[in-house]
Amino acid sequence: MRKIQLNVLPNEVVKLITEENPIYEDIGILGDKGELKGVVITPEAYSYFLKKVEEDEDKEDLEFLDNFDSKNELDSAQTLDDFLKDED
């Protein structure tokens, strides 16, 4: 995550970030043509986002482990002799 001090932001942005209940208010940063260039989210939303990403990663890891065939991996792995032959 890149970081910036609050006091270097324009007053309008600081006001939006520090308002009373900003939890549901993401702040969209738009380009000259109205296209979305970035988003400022609340710390609560950021924590939620990280939690969901970690849950997805954990699910993918579990699926990988469930489908992992250790016998096949061992049978197909190179031996020390194979490595030594490759170096010649």
Side-chain angles (χ1 to χ4, degrees), residues 1-85:
M1 168 181 15
R2 293 188 238 174
K3 297 179 182 181
I4 187 170
Q5 294 296 316
L6 191 61
N7 63 354
V8 300
L9 296 171
N11 289 336
E12 181 181 357
V13 175
V14 173
K15 181 180 175 188
L16 290 172
I17 291 173
T18 59
E19 66 186 13
E20 182 76 21
N21 291 309
I23 190 160
Y24 300 112
E25 296 292 330
D26 301 335
I27 301 167
I29 301 168
L30 305 178
D32 293 337
K33 298 176 182 171
E35 71 279 13
L36 187 63
K37 293 291 192 174
V39 177
V40 176
I41 60 174
T42 64
E44 294 84 0
Y46 183 67
S47 293
Y48 178 80
F49 170 75
L50 288 179
K51 178 181 168 192
K52 290 300 177 184
V53 168
E54 289 170 1
E55 286 174 2
D56 284 349
E57 288 174 344
D58 290 346
K59 182 180 175 185
E60 288 177 7
D61 290 345
L62 186 58
E63 288 173 0
F64 174 78
L65 290 174
D66 286 344
N67 296 322
F68 184 75
D69 182 358
S70 60
K71 180 169 179 4
N72 184 42
E73 290 293 321
L74 286 173
D75 291 343
S76 65
Q78 285 188 317
T79 66
L80 180 58
D81 288 336
D82 294 331
F83 281 116
L84 292 175
K85 287 178 190 173

